[in-house]
Amino acid sequence: MQTSRRQFLQWGLTSTLLLQAPLSLAEKLKQPPRHIAFDNLHTGEKLELTYWEEGFYQPEALKQVNHILRDHRTGEQMPIDRHLIDLLNVLHTKLGSKSPFQIISGYRSSQTNSMLRKTSDGVAKKSLHMVGKAIDVRLSDIKLSQLRQAALELNVGGVGYYPKSNFIHLDTGRPRHWQG
């Protein structure tokens, strides 16, 4: 049986991908664990944990993150975007903070978002908070302007700066920035 050029190229591409997969997993396994710490200002709950280790996100740790970032008004939870958690981890590490992220707002139910839209300025109708892709935070040992600048330098997602309310908004949507 004669192999066509197309079949040969497909086989070569498939073989290359299969050979590279274990190498990328090996590289993932070499990466250091990722940690996160939160202080929920509305509930008084605190959380410090390793959410990624030995190349994998830790399901039980992610459940705890979902819980502490729940809508504190309704108790509803939403799976929090892993990229958002990674973004927080990168910022924390980059800035050398020793403090937990103080949570102003994590996940928001549509009910809570509607209520906030009626009573506050700057609350988006289709807020990324409602799908677990946004958070409003600050760090007690880092100037808010420094936290904002570090987030802007990453150029990943949205960065809202609210100096009068003492927090920044971070999300995993398209890169953009604003001041409230």
Side-chain angles (χ1 to χ4, degrees):
M1 180 174 143
Q2 191 172 3
T3 304
S4 73
R5 177 173 163 77
R6 176 178 281 169
Q7 288 171 323
F8 178 77
L9 290 172
Q10 286 176 335
W11 179 85
L13 178 61
T14 302
S15 299
T16 302
L17 290 173
L18 288 174
L19 290 173
Q20 287 179 345
L23 181 62
S24 64
L25 177 59
E27 290 302 314
K28 274 177 75 174
L29 292 173
K30 289 179 187 175
Q31 292 181 0
R34 299 176 195 163
H35 311 282
I36 197 78
F38 293 113
D39 178 1
N40 189 316
L41 299 179
H42 298 286
T43 66
E45 296 167 296
K46 296 180 187 313
L47 179 67
E48 186 174 342
L49 51 69
T50 300
Y51 70 92
W52 191 91
E53 194 168 34
E54 297 177 355
F56 298 96
Y57 290 96
Q58 303 300 303
E60 287 306 313
L62 294 177
K63 285 181 187 176
Q64 291 179 60
V65 170
N66 296 342
H67 179 76
I68 199 164
L69 296 181
R70 72 192 179 280
D71 183 326
H72 71 274
R73 291 173 178 89
T74 67
E76 287 180 52
Q77 292 184 35
M78 165 73 63
I80 301 301
D81 184 357
R82 294 171 181 184
H83 297 296
L84 182 62
I85 304 167
D86 286 336
L87 173 59
L88 292 169
N89 172 268
V90 167
L91 285 170
H92 201 264
T93 302
K94 180 178 180 172
L95 292 166
S97 175
K98 302 296 180 209
S99 297
F101 280 100
Q102 295 178 334
I103 303 163
I104 312 309
S105 183
Y107 165 69
R108 278 190 216 142
S109 66
S110 57
Q111 175 187 352
T112 294
N113 201 68
S114 292
M115 183 271 299
L116 290 173
R117 279 182 51 76
K118 293 173 187 169
T119 60
S120 304
D121 290 333
V123 177
K125 185 175 184 177
K126 294 184 179 183
S127 171
L128 291 175
H129 285 276
M130 298 189 307
V131 290
K133 294 178 179 270
I135 191 167
D136 299 337
V137 293
R138 65 179 170 239
L139 289 166
S140 64
D141 62 344
I142 302 292
K143 287 181 182 176
L144 195 64
S145 59
Q146 278 184 274
L147 180 56
R148 173 189 184 239
Q149 187 58 40
L152 288 171
E153 287 170 6
L154 293 176
N155 197 34
V156 178
V159 180
Y161 183 53
Y162 297 87
K164 290 180 183 169
S165 300
N166 194 26
F167 73 85
I168 68 164
H169 166 98
L170 298 167
D171 67 52
T172 56
R174 62 181 171 74
R176 64 211 186 289
H177 60 92
W178 64 93
Q179 184 165 337

